[in-house]
Amino acid sequence: MLNIVKNEIRSLFKIRKERMLPPPGSMPTFGSTIVLHRLKIQLRMTLEPEQWEWLTLKGWRTQDMRKNRRKYFKVPSKAVARLLHAAPEEREDIYQRIVTYEFDESHLI
């Protein structure tokens, strides 16, 4: 309840600040969570170093979800698998479809 009141006060007085993008961390392991804005990917496969470098250039970062209160749209695991198995020349097209997909409220977690 206290967090709801804090959030309302921050919104009312426009205290919210745009956060800076943190530096990319080490390559995430199987089961890690990576986020970009309001999108969240749960890694169900191991990334290659080249894939992680490409994702960090797009702004994706690892996120410890235990202390995170934000709401995210979970990217479907089939879309993540398609992205990570795509050839580098096809990856951009698949990525654009993922980040522009209209997630509905049922995907918000």
Side-chain angles (χ1 to χ4, degrees), residues 2-90:
L2 181 60
N3 287 334
I4 294 171
V5 173
K6 281 184 188 178
N7 285 336
E8 292 298 322
I9 291 171
R10 287 181 181 130
S11 295
L12 180 67
F13 291 108
K14 299 183 178 170
I15 297 173
R16 301 194 181 276
K17 295 180 182 175
E18 194 68 30
R19 293 179 182 225
M20 291 178 47
L21 187 64
S26 59
M27 194 167 82
T29 58
F30 177 86
S32 297
T33 301
I34 60 174
V35 297
L36 174 71
H37 307 299
R38 303 255 342 246
L39 295 176
K40 170 179 135 176
I41 291 177
Q42 185 80 33
L43 294 173
R44 299 288 179 211
M45 59 187 64
T46 306
L47 290 176
E48 297 294 326
E50 184 271 331
Q51 292 171 324
W52 177 236
E53 182 180 342
W54 184 82
L55 287 167
T56 59
L57 291 174
K58 297 291 185 184
W60 289 87
R61 299 293 188 260
T62 56
Q63 181 71 47
D64 181 8
M65 299 307 285
R66 293 175 292 186
K67 298 177 185 176
N68 193 336
R69 296 184 322 233
R70 292 189 184 97
K71 302 267 189 236
Y72 292 94
F73 293 104
K74 185 176 180 186
V75 177
S77 57
K78 287 183 181 180
V80 175
R82 191 173 301 133
L83 175 69
L84 297 179
H85 287 104
E89 57 274 3
E90 299 170 343

